[in-house]
Amino acid sequence: MNIKITKVTDSRIDELDSSNLQFGKQYSDHMLICDFENGAWQDPTIVPYGNISMSPATTFIHYGQSLFEGIKAYKRKDGQVSIFRPKDNWERFNVSARRMAMAEVPEELFMEGMRQLIELDKEWVPDSEGSSLYIRPFMFGTDAFIGVKPADTFRFMIITSPAGAYYSKPTRIYVQNKYVRAFPGGIGFTKAAGNYGACMLPTLETRKLGYDQILWTDGFTHKNVQEIGTMNVFFVFGNTVVTPDLSEGTILAGVTRDSVIKLLKEKGIAVEERPIGIDEIEENYRNGLLKEAFGAGTAAVIAPISELFYNGDTMMLPPIETWEISNFIKKELADIRYGQIPDTHSWMYKVC
Ligand code: COI
């Protein structure tokens, strides 16, 4: 694949404050751009990070044909930079693209484009504990046409951003029984931009009530839990880990979710993927069996939950320091990513 690279004349790396990395605040020197026109992907380019211009009639602005992925690259002590399971994100990107009637991105464009971009900006991959380079591939419909139809032209881009911890402390969670994130038949399983836009108002209202994130429930009964904020959710009932199954198409098939399940099973810990009712969570809480609860996602990795507010009552989780399962999984994932233990699953994709 031929990628034309135009390098920055002056890197902005000196402006990066590695001791204070805030999610999504700073962007690396370069970005990748590739357009889909006349039924084919054109040659990609890597150019200095900067604004893009487009027609005010562009499809995605009006009708939301827009989707993204979130991936992370890690720097080991020996300087090696690797990306965590990017091929899984490429596959999911195209699952989203099909549902949104958008062009699919070829594997080579996604993987090699990303690899070359990160190789070029490898100085931007932080190496402090818990930090990484957040990679944001995204695509949007670019027809300059406001008739309602799927776009014929698309733009695929990748930008990257050095990232530290997403949440600085355990999250306080509000169980949502007014708004709905996803219905069967909808787009809950995709990373379509609109999924996130529709959650802004409910999240804002939740924050005003003093909570960090929402535990989403199903739209029919408001009983079965789906996701937490923008993450998959796990509960530990006694010695068993439970997480909602993916069968209804309302939940994102998280790459972190999949990694957590695989690593726990390998450790001999029972994991159940099945519907989970809020009543069951309350019952386990009352019986002292709700031991741990956490969100799992690319940005936050493992985000412990300190309390759950549901229907006027608060369920307080035991102190985080006592949590064996989530602390194990958090360390295991970090050790694989920073090369402290062997990568037996071949999850790390070497950049350089
Ligand atoms: C993730 O953690 O996977 C996300 O998608 C979060 C992102 C929307 C910031």
Side-chain angles (χ1 to χ4, degrees), residues 155-172:
R155 174 163 286 193
F156 170 66
M157 295 185 64
I158 307 180
I159 56 175
T160 67
S161 170
Y166 195 81
Y167 292 111
S168 54
K169 54 182 179 44
T171 52
R172 301 177 66 227

Side-chain angles (χ1 to χ4, degrees), residues 173-176 213-217 225 227-228 233 235 308:
I173 302 299
Y174 183 90
V175 184
Q176 183 57 254
Q213 277 300 348
I214 291 169
L215 179 58
W216 296 100
T217 51
V225 302
E227 290 190 15
I228 193 153
V233 66
F235 299 91
L308 286 162

Side-chain angles (χ1 to χ4, degrees), residues 123-282:
E123 297 306 318
W124 288 83
V125 186
D127 56 7
S128 55
E129 200 191 325
S131 67
S132 57
L133 185 75
Y134 184 79
I135 306 165
R136 173 55 66 90
F138 57 108
M139 174 168 64
F140 46 95
T142 50
D143 292 8
F145 176 63
I146 54 168
V148 183
K149 71 169 216 21
D152 293 318
T153 58
F154 297 93
R155 174 163 286 193
F156 170 66
M157 295 185 64
I158 307 180
I159 56 175
T160 67
S161 170
Y166 195 81
Y167 292 111
S168 54
K169 54 182 179 44
T171 52
R172 301 177 66 227
I173 302 299
Y174 183 90
V175 184
Q176 183 57 254
N177 54 13
K178 172 178 164 194
Y179 296 107
V180 183
R181 178 187 170 275
F183 268 100
I187 56 169
F189 63 98
T190 70
K191 271 186 107 66
N195 262 341
Y196 296 79
C199 295
M200 298 289 179
L201 175 71
T203 306
L204 208 59
E205 289 185 9
T206 301
R207 296 244 162 95
K208 280 192 188 142
L209 294 171
Y211 294 88
D212 300 304
Q213 277 300 348
I214 291 169
L215 179 58
W216 296 100
T217 51
D218 74 283
F220 299 110
T221 65
H222 279 302
K223 287 284 183 195
N224 286 334
V225 302
Q226 294 180 336
E227 290 190 15
I228 193 153
T230 59
M231 294 174 285
N232 294 117
V233 66
F234 288 79
F235 299 91
V236 181
F237 296 153
N239 293 323
T240 304
V241 180
V242 293
T243 190
D245 63 288
L246 306 176
S247 61
E248 275 196 333
T250 52
I251 295 172
L252 192 80
V255 177
T256 311
R257 175 188 183 278
D258 183 69
S259 311
V260 168
I261 293 172
K262 287 200 167 101
L263 292 174
L264 289 178
K265 284 187 175 168
E266 281 169 19
K267 176 88 178 156
I269 296 168
V271 183
E272 294 174 3
E273 294 176 69
R274 59 169 174 81
I276 305 164
I278 191 72
D279 298 343
E280 184 186 357
I281 299 171
E282 283 194 302

Side-chain angles (χ1 to χ4, degrees), residues 27 32 37 81 86 136 147 158 200 331:
Y27 296 92
L32 178 130
E37 288 165 6
V81 173
R136 173 55 66 90
I158 307 180
M200 298 289 179
K331 181 166 185 320

